[in-house]
Amino acid sequence: MTADGLRVDIREQNGVLVIRFGGRLDWSTYMRVQDVLLDCATKELVGVVVELDGLVAESPALLVVFDVVWLSAARWPGISLSLVVSDHQLRSTLGARGLPRHIPMHTTVQAALAAVVRLRHEDRVDAALPTCRCLPHVAERITERACERWGVQSLLDVAPQVAVELVSHIEDDDSPLALLLRMRGDKMSVAVRTTARLDLRQWNIMRRNVASIAVCNFTMGETPAGGGRHIIWALLDVPEDSQRPPSHLPEAAVFTHQA
């Protein structure tokens, strides 16, 4: 147990991060719980399962932290987040507060693991981008290859240009940018992980430019990722005329890294 009275144990089971909290959840530990959850939810594994039986909340209102994290992380990257609560009193407390509003709750870790919806390994790309002037070109090429591999040819003129737009507006002096691409059902995510922050003017310019590129429905947002990082993303609807299965193109190792 740390000096603040909070215990955190994190382990991986079958690609899922299982977090076990113990000790006290109070106003002094609230932010650490939130940061741990956000960091785990954006590590881009299969999902996150949170064990709560060992956690004692100073106030039931503090339990809203789990919904706050879900609302921050669920839109992108959309990692599966679920709670494990076997303690009857804690389940009653959560139910009385109407919590969690969005997060599945299970009585055992095994049940939570079985319920995780697994993203196929080949439907994701993580790419560390170079810190040089060729960065937009590299981001464009990586995204083109992903569209071809995933069989979404109708986005070949859209997604790569969105990637260029995202990386062109972000200057991160502290760490290299990472390009994150995801294919989930009928939606494709194009995103950048960074420690840089955009001001309102930069956001408005970027949104306007993406709107001029996209010929499909799209949404944009920003997701905290813990440790001072966050993810700036655009979620593109894949037109119905795009056909899968994908073409089988080999991955360019010099450009991409799949975790």
Short mmCIF file of all heavy atoms in Angstrom, two decimals, residues 144-182:
data_model
loop_
_atom_site.label_atom_id
_atom_site.label_comp_id
_atom_site.label_asym_id
_atom_site.label_seq_id
_atom_site.Cartn_x
_atom_site.Cartn_y
_atom_site.Cartn_z
N GLU A 144 -2.46 4.76 -46.37
CA GLU A 144 -2.83 4.18 -47.66
C GLU A 144 -2.74 2.66 -47.62
O GLU A 144 -3.64 1.94 -48.05
CB GLU A 144 -1.91 4.72 -48.76
CG GLU A 144 -2.20 6.14 -49.18
CD GLU A 144 -1.20 6.62 -50.22
OE1 GLU A 144 -0.19 5.91 -50.45
OE2 GLU A 144 -1.41 7.71 -50.78
N ARG A 145 -1.64 2.17 -47.08
CA ARG A 145 -1.44 0.72 -47.03
C ARG A 145 -2.47 0.05 -46.12
O ARG A 145 -2.93 -1.06 -46.40
CB ARG A 145 -0.02 0.40 -46.56
CG ARG A 145 1.06 0.79 -47.56
CD ARG A 145 2.45 0.44 -47.05
NE ARG A 145 2.63 -1.01 -46.95
CZ ARG A 145 2.99 -1.81 -47.95
NH1 ARG A 145 3.18 -1.30 -49.17
NH2 ARG A 145 3.15 -3.09 -47.76
N ALA A 146 -2.83 0.73 -45.04
CA ALA A 146 -3.85 0.17 -44.15
C ALA A 146 -5.19 0.09 -44.87
O ALA A 146 -5.90 -0.93 -44.76
CB ALA A 146 -3.97 1.02 -42.89
N CYS A 147 -5.57 1.13 -45.61
CA CYS A 147 -6.84 1.11 -46.35
C CYS A 147 -6.86 -0.03 -47.36
O CYS A 147 -7.87 -0.72 -47.53
CB CYS A 147 -7.05 2.45 -47.05
SG CYS A 147 -7.46 3.83 -45.97
N GLU A 148 -5.74 -0.22 -48.05
CA GLU A 148 -5.66 -1.29 -49.03
C GLU A 148 -5.75 -2.66 -48.36
O GLU A 148 -6.45 -3.55 -48.84
CB GLU A 148 -4.35 -1.16 -49.82
CG GLU A 148 -4.31 0.08 -50.73
CD GLU A 148 -2.92 0.39 -51.24
OE1 GLU A 148 -1.96 -0.26 -50.77
OE2 GLU A 148 -2.78 1.29 -52.09
N ARG A 149 -5.04 -2.80 -47.25
CA ARG A 149 -5.03 -4.09 -46.56
C ARG A 149 -6.40 -4.42 -45.98
O ARG A 149 -6.81 -5.58 -45.92
CB ARG A 149 -3.97 -4.06 -45.46
CG ARG A 149 -3.71 -5.43 -44.82
CD ARG A 149 -2.49 -5.40 -43.91
NE ARG A 149 -2.66 -4.56 -42.74
CZ ARG A 149 -2.11 -3.36 -42.60
NH1 ARG A 149 -1.36 -2.85 -43.56
NH2 ARG A 149 -2.29 -2.66 -41.49
N TRP A 150 -7.13 -3.39 -45.52
CA TRP A 150 -8.43 -3.60 -44.90
C TRP A 150 -9.58 -3.61 -45.91
O TRP A 150 -10.73 -3.80 -45.54
CB TRP A 150 -8.69 -2.54 -43.83
CG TRP A 150 -7.75 -2.64 -42.67
CD1 TRP A 150 -7.06 -3.74 -42.27
CD2 TRP A 150 -7.40 -1.59 -41.76
NE1 TRP A 150 -6.28 -3.45 -41.17
CE2 TRP A 150 -6.47 -2.14 -40.83
CE3 TRP A 150 -7.77 -0.25 -41.65
CZ2 TRP A 150 -5.92 -1.38 -39.80
CZ3 TRP A 150 -7.21 0.50 -40.62
CH2 TRP A 150 -6.30 -0.07 -39.71
N GLY A 151 -9.26 -3.37 -47.18
CA GLY A 151 -10.28 -3.43 -48.21
C GLY A 151 -11.26 -2.27 -48.19
O GLY A 151 -12.41 -2.43 -48.58
N VAL A 152 -10.82 -1.10 -47.75
CA VAL A 152 -11.71 0.08 -47.74
C VAL A 152 -11.20 1.09 -48.77
O VAL A 152 -10.81 2.21 -48.46
CB VAL A 152 -11.80 0.71 -46.33
CG1 VAL A 152 -12.63 -0.16 -45.41
CG2 VAL A 152 -10.41 0.92 -45.71
N GLN A 153 -11.25 0.64 -50.02
CA GLN A 153 -10.73 1.47 -51.10
C GLN A 153 -11.45 2.82 -51.21
O GLN A 153 -10.87 3.80 -51.66
CB GLN A 153 -10.83 0.71 -52.43
CG GLN A 153 -9.75 -0.35 -52.65
CD GLN A 153 -10.06 -1.64 -51.91
OE1 GLN A 153 -11.13 -1.79 -51.32
NE2 GLN A 153 -9.13 -2.57 -51.92
N SER A 154 -12.71 2.86 -50.78
CA SER A 154 -13.45 4.12 -50.89
C SER A 154 -12.89 5.20 -49.97
O SER A 154 -13.20 6.38 -50.14
CB SER A 154 -14.93 3.89 -50.56
OG SER A 154 -15.07 3.37 -49.26
N LEU A 155 -12.04 4.82 -49.01
CA LEU A 155 -11.43 5.81 -48.12
C LEU A 155 -9.99 6.14 -48.52
O LEU A 155 -9.32 6.90 -47.83
CB LEU A 155 -11.45 5.31 -46.67
CG LEU A 155 -12.82 5.26 -45.98
CD1 LEU A 155 -12.65 4.82 -44.53
CD2 LEU A 155 -13.53 6.60 -46.05
N LEU A 156 -9.54 5.58 -49.64
CA LEU A 156 -8.16 5.82 -50.04
C LEU A 156 -7.87 7.29 -50.33
O LEU A 156 -6.73 7.73 -50.22
CB LEU A 156 -7.83 4.98 -51.28
CG LEU A 156 -7.25 3.59 -51.00
CD1 LEU A 156 -7.15 2.78 -52.29
CD2 LEU A 156 -5.87 3.71 -50.34
N ASP A 157 -8.89 8.04 -50.74
CA ASP A 157 -8.70 9.46 -51.00
C ASP A 157 -9.05 10.33 -49.80
O ASP A 157 -8.98 11.55 -49.88
CB ASP A 157 -9.56 9.90 -52.20
CG ASP A 157 -9.12 9.25 -53.50
OD1 ASP A 157 -7.91 8.99 -53.64
OD2 ASP A 157 -9.99 8.99 -54.36
N VAL A 158 -9.43 9.68 -48.70
CA VAL A 158 -9.88 10.43 -47.52
C VAL A 158 -8.96 10.19 -46.33
O VAL A 158 -8.33 11.13 -45.81
CB VAL A 158 -11.33 10.03 -47.14
CG1 VAL A 158 -11.75 10.75 -45.85
CG2 VAL A 158 -12.28 10.34 -48.27
N ALA A 159 -8.87 8.94 -45.87
CA ALA A 159 -8.13 8.64 -44.64
C ALA A 159 -6.66 9.08 -44.68
O ALA A 159 -6.18 9.67 -43.70
CB ALA A 159 -8.23 7.15 -44.32
N PRO A 160 -5.92 8.84 -45.78
CA PRO A 160 -4.52 9.29 -45.79
C PRO A 160 -4.39 10.81 -45.67
O PRO A 160 -3.48 11.29 -44.98
CB PRO A 160 -4.01 8.80 -47.16
CG PRO A 160 -4.87 7.62 -47.47
CD PRO A 160 -6.23 7.99 -46.96
N GLN A 161 -5.31 11.55 -46.27
CA GLN A 161 -5.25 13.01 -46.17
C GLN A 161 -5.64 13.49 -44.78
O GLN A 161 -5.13 14.50 -44.29
CB GLN A 161 -6.15 13.64 -47.23
CG GLN A 161 -5.67 13.41 -48.65
CD GLN A 161 -4.22 13.80 -48.84
OE1 GLN A 161 -3.81 14.91 -48.49
NE2 GLN A 161 -3.43 12.89 -49.38
N VAL A 162 -6.55 12.76 -44.13
CA VAL A 162 -6.89 13.08 -42.73
C VAL A 162 -5.66 12.87 -41.85
O VAL A 162 -5.37 13.69 -40.97
CB VAL A 162 -8.07 12.21 -42.24
CG1 VAL A 162 -8.25 12.37 -40.73
CG2 VAL A 162 -9.35 12.61 -42.96
N ALA A 163 -4.92 11.78 -42.09
CA ALA A 163 -3.70 11.53 -41.32
C ALA A 163 -2.70 12.66 -41.51
O ALA A 163 -2.09 13.14 -40.54
CB ALA A 163 -3.08 10.19 -41.75
N VAL A 164 -2.54 13.10 -42.74
CA VAL A 164 -1.63 14.22 -43.02
C VAL A 164 -2.08 15.47 -42.28
O VAL A 164 -1.27 16.20 -41.69
CB VAL A 164 -1.56 14.49 -44.54
CG1 VAL A 164 -0.81 15.81 -44.81
CG2 VAL A 164 -0.87 13.34 -45.26
N GLU A 165 -3.38 15.72 -42.28
CA GLU A 165 -3.91 16.90 -41.61
C GLU A 165 -3.63 16.84 -40.11
O GLU A 165 -3.23 17.84 -39.50
CB GLU A 165 -5.42 17.00 -41.86
CG GLU A 165 -6.05 18.28 -41.36
CD GLU A 165 -5.51 19.51 -42.07
OE1 GLU A 165 -5.15 19.42 -43.26
OE2 GLU A 165 -5.45 20.56 -41.42
N LEU A 166 -3.83 15.68 -39.50
CA LEU A 166 -3.61 15.56 -38.06
C LEU A 166 -2.14 15.79 -37.70
O LEU A 166 -1.83 16.57 -36.78
CB LEU A 166 -4.05 14.18 -37.57
CG LEU A 166 -5.54 13.85 -37.63
CD1 LEU A 166 -5.79 12.46 -37.04
CD2 LEU A 166 -6.37 14.88 -36.88
N VAL A 167 -1.23 15.12 -38.39
CA VAL A 167 0.19 15.24 -38.00
C VAL A 167 0.75 16.61 -38.35
O VAL A 167 1.71 17.06 -37.72
CB VAL A 167 1.04 14.13 -38.66
CG1 VAL A 167 0.52 12.74 -38.27
CG2 VAL A 167 1.10 14.28 -40.18
N SER A 168 0.16 17.29 -39.32
CA SER A 168 0.69 18.58 -39.74
C SER A 168 0.37 19.69 -38.75
O SER A 168 1.01 20.75 -38.76
CB SER A 168 0.13 18.96 -41.12
OG SER A 168 0.54 18.04 -42.11
N HIS A 169 -0.62 19.47 -37.87
CA HIS A 169 -1.01 20.50 -36.92
C HIS A 169 -0.42 20.29 -35.53
O HIS A 169 -0.70 21.08 -34.62
CB HIS A 169 -2.54 20.56 -36.81
CG HIS A 169 -3.18 21.33 -37.91
ND1 HIS A 169 -3.48 20.76 -39.12
CD2 HIS A 169 -3.56 22.63 -37.99
CE1 HIS A 169 -4.03 21.67 -39.90
NE2 HIS A 169 -4.09 22.81 -39.24
N ILE A 170 0.39 19.25 -35.37
CA ILE A 170 0.88 18.92 -34.04
C ILE A 170 2.40 18.99 -34.02
O ILE A 170 3.07 18.35 -34.81
CB ILE A 170 0.42 17.51 -33.61
CG1 ILE A 170 -1.11 17.43 -33.62
CG2 ILE A 170 0.97 17.16 -32.23
CD1 ILE A 170 -1.64 16.04 -33.42
N GLU A 171 2.93 19.80 -33.12
CA GLU A 171 4.37 19.88 -32.91
C GLU A 171 4.66 19.42 -31.49
O GLU A 171 4.26 20.07 -30.53
CB GLU A 171 4.87 21.30 -33.13
CG GLU A 171 4.71 21.80 -34.56
CD GLU A 171 5.28 23.19 -34.74
OE1 GLU A 171 5.89 23.70 -33.78
OE2 GLU A 171 5.13 23.75 -35.84
N ASP A 172 5.33 18.30 -31.38
CA ASP A 172 5.61 17.72 -30.08
C ASP A 172 7.13 17.67 -29.88
O ASP A 172 7.81 16.84 -30.48
CB ASP A 172 5.01 16.31 -29.98
CG ASP A 172 4.97 15.80 -28.55
OD1 ASP A 172 5.76 16.29 -27.73
OD2 ASP A 172 4.15 14.91 -28.26
N ASP A 173 7.62 18.55 -29.03
CA ASP A 173 9.07 18.60 -28.80
C ASP A 173 9.52 17.58 -27.76
O ASP A 173 10.72 17.33 -27.61
CB ASP A 173 9.47 20.00 -28.32
CG ASP A 173 9.19 21.07 -29.38
OD1 ASP A 173 9.29 20.74 -30.58
OD2 ASP A 173 8.87 22.22 -29.00
N ASP A 174 8.56 16.99 -27.03
CA ASP A 174 8.92 16.10 -25.93
C ASP A 174 9.05 14.64 -26.36
O ASP A 174 9.82 13.89 -25.77
CB ASP A 174 7.89 16.20 -24.81
CG ASP A 174 7.85 17.59 -24.20
OD1 ASP A 174 8.93 18.21 -24.12
OD2 ASP A 174 6.76 18.05 -23.81
N SER A 175 8.29 14.22 -27.35
CA SER A 175 8.33 12.82 -27.77
C SER A 175 7.84 12.70 -29.20
O SER A 175 7.04 13.53 -29.66
CB SER A 175 7.47 11.95 -26.84
OG SER A 175 6.12 12.38 -26.89
N PRO A 176 8.28 11.66 -29.94
CA PRO A 176 7.81 11.46 -31.32
C PRO A 176 6.31 11.18 -31.35
O PRO A 176 5.75 10.60 -30.42
CB PRO A 176 8.61 10.23 -31.79
CG PRO A 176 9.77 10.14 -30.86
CD PRO A 176 9.28 10.66 -29.55
N LEU A 177 5.68 11.60 -32.43
CA LEU A 177 4.26 11.32 -32.60
C LEU A 177 4.08 9.84 -32.95
O LEU A 177 4.95 9.21 -33.53
CB LEU A 177 3.68 12.16 -33.74
CG LEU A 177 3.73 13.68 -33.60
CD1 LEU A 177 3.10 14.32 -34.83
CD2 LEU A 177 3.02 14.13 -32.34
N ALA A 178 2.92 9.31 -32.59
CA ALA A 178 2.55 7.95 -32.97
C ALA A 178 1.25 8.02 -33.75
O ALA A 178 0.29 8.64 -33.30
CB ALA A 178 2.40 7.06 -31.75
N LEU A 179 1.22 7.39 -34.90
CA LEU A 179 0.01 7.30 -35.71
C LEU A 179 -0.71 6.01 -35.34
O LEU A 179 -0.12 4.93 -35.34
CB LEU A 179 0.37 7.29 -37.20
CG LEU A 179 -0.81 7.17 -38.18
CD1 LEU A 179 -1.67 8.44 -38.15
CD2 LEU A 179 -0.30 6.91 -39.60
N LEU A 180 -2.00 6.14 -35.00
CA LEU A 180 -2.80 4.99 -34.58
C LEU A 180 -3.97 4.83 -35.54
O LEU A 180 -4.78 5.75 -35.69
CB LEU A 180 -3.33 5.20 -33.15
CG LEU A 180 -2.30 5.64 -32.10
CD1 LEU A 180 -2.98 5.89 -30.77
CD2 LEU A 180 -1.19 4.61 -31.95
N LEU A 181 -4.09 3.67 -36.15
CA LEU A 181 -5.17 3.38 -37.09
C LEU A 181 -5.92 2.15 -36.59
O LEU A 181 -5.31 1.17 -36.16
CB LEU A 181 -4.62 3.10 -38.49
CG LEU A 181 -3.69 4.16 -39.08
CD1 LEU A 181 -3.12 3.68 -40.42
CD2 LEU A 181 -4.42 5.49 -39.27
N ARG A 182 -7.25 2.22 -36.64
CA ARG A 182 -8.08 1.11 -36.18
C ARG A 182 -9.22 0.90 -37.17
O ARG A 182 -9.79 1.85 -37.70
CB ARG A 182 -8.68 1.38 -34.79
CG ARG A 182 -7.65 1.66 -33.71
CD ARG A 182 -6.85 0.41 -33.36
NE ARG A 182 -5.89 0.69 -32.32
CZ ARG A 182 -4.63 1.08 -32.53
NH1 ARG A 182 -4.20 1.26 -33.77
NH2 ARG A 182 -3.82 1.28 -31.51
#
